[in-house]
């Protein structure tokens, strides 16, 4: 059965709509809701049976743990066996916001949420709808991105419906999400803390708050034992073959000449092309916000290839490069 879609204002969500969504969550249902990064697929994090439904709906491998979302620092502390000073510092500085902290888990967190591991990933989202929902349902919410496993993350309600319409109970539609890339994941169970997934909070932001962090990529390991399975090589991927290159204009023209239908994603506005071209803003916030929607559009256009102009270098762009590398992996 297709899910119910309720529209809700992104800044001032109607309390009666939030209450309806909260009741569904309390009754063990699945509700997709907006965060400031991407849409999440939420369920009661303390109930292993409904968390199992998240894995089933997404087709998510059981070895990939899920982020738990909370409305307040005190709620986060109930889910961990220790809350070190660095967690306090980072939470005070970046919550609510796109930073996920990996901490030692408390016994009340089902093993399914943490993929059998001894740590739990926690974040307090900054979106008014997500916060209102968390407060109203009075539950921590396990919420991965609301897409089928390995597919592109959803930044629009339509993206959620395309992947999950018949697998969830309700979608709270608050329009496009503003951040566009998933949260930064930081493991604070070790010293120095280790970056597990680059995101909207940059390494420079983190280091300004707590000093040096370990940000070199983890050595490749088997998927089963990866420290953060978000590091799976192919992830966030369109169905259409995608490649990232400098001087993309030339490659695009070559492929078009060969008779291929080409999608072209670039941040450099340099003239006409036979390709289906999307020009993203050349600032990192604008680019990040538009990236997944652009990839969804190109992927849905029935093309043979997607060519992406290599975005600018630099720390700020790390998360963009990370997502594009995974999108291009075969
Ligand atoms: O912005 C976001 O983080 C979005 C919104 C909905 O909050 N959520 C999201 O969830 O991106 P998901 O499931 O698509 O990605 C969660 C990432 C994965 O890379 C997962 O491996 C990692 O967090 N993760 C979760 N729990 C972990 C843990 N205990 N230890 C290490 N990594 C963990
Ligand atoms: Mg995801």
């Amino acid at each position: 059965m297709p899910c119910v879609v309720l529209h809700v204002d992104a800044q001032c969500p109607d309390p009666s709509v939030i209450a309806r969504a909260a009741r569904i969550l309390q009754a063990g249902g699945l509700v997709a809701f907006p965060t400031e990064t991407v849409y999440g697929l939420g369920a009661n994090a303390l109930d292993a049976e409904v968390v199992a439904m998240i894995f089933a709906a997404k087709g998510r491998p059981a070895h990939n743990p899920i982020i738990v979302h909370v409305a307040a620092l005190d709620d986060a502390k109930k889910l961990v066996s220790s809350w070190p000073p660095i967690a306090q510092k980072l939470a005070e500085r970046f919550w609510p916001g796109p930073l996920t902290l990996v901490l030692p888990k408390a016994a009340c967190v089902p093993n399914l949420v943490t993929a059998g591991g001894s740590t739990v990933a926690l974040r307090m989202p900054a979106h008014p709808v997500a916060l209102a929902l968390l407060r109203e349902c009075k539950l921590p919410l396990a919420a991965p991105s609301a897409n089928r496993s390995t597919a592109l993350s959803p930044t629009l309600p339509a993206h959620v419906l395309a992947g999950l319409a018949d697998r969830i109970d309700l979608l709270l539609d608050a329009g496009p999400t503003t951040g566009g890339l998933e949260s930064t994941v930081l493991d604070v169970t070790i010293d120095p803390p280790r970056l597990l997934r680059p995101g909207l909070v940059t390494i420079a932001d983190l280091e300004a708050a707590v000093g040096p962090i370990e940000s070199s990529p983890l050595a490749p390991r088997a998927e089963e034992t990866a420290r953060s399975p978000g590091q799976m090589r192919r992830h966030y991927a369109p169905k259409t073959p995608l490649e990232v290159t400098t001087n993309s204009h030339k490659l695009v023209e070559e492929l078009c000449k060969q008779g291929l239908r080409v999608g072209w994603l670039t941040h450099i506005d340099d003239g006409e092309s036979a390709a289906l071209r999307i020009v993203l803003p050349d600032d990192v916030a604008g680019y990040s916000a538009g990236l997944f929607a652009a990839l969804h559009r190109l992927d849905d256009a029935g093309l043979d290839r997607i060519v992406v102009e290599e975005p600018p270098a630099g720390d700020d762009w790390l998360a963009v490069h990370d997502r594009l590398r995974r999108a291009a992996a075969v």
Side-chain angles (χ1 to χ4, degrees), residues 151-208:
L152 292 167
S153 291
T155 57
L156 288 173
H159 301 155
V160 178
L161 293 176
L164 296 170
D166 52 353
R167 293 163 178 253
I168 60 179
D169 299 297
L170 177 71
L171 164 63
L172 289 177
D173 172 349
T177 60
T178 50
L181 296 184
E182 306 82 351
S183 62
T184 305
V185 180
L186 187 72
D187 185 347
V188 292
T189 64
I190 44 179
D191 187 22
R194 178 180 268 283
L195 183 72
L196 296 180
R197 179 176 70 181
L200 294 172
V201 175
T202 66
I203 295 172
D205 295 335
L206 293 169
E207 292 194 328

Side-chain angles (χ1 to χ4, degrees), residues 35 37-40 58 60 64-67 69 100 102 119-121 123 143-145 181-183 185 196-197 227-231:
T35 79
T37 61
V38 302
Y39 273 81
K58 283 187 58 103
R60 186 179 181 100
N64 194 358
I66 297 182
I67 296 172
H69 297 64
T100 295
V102 172
T119 61
V120 62
R123 93 175 186 98
S145 52
L181 296 184
E182 306 82 351
S183 62
V185 180
L196 296 180
R197 179 176 70 181
R227 184 145 197 146
S228 182
Q231 308 215 354

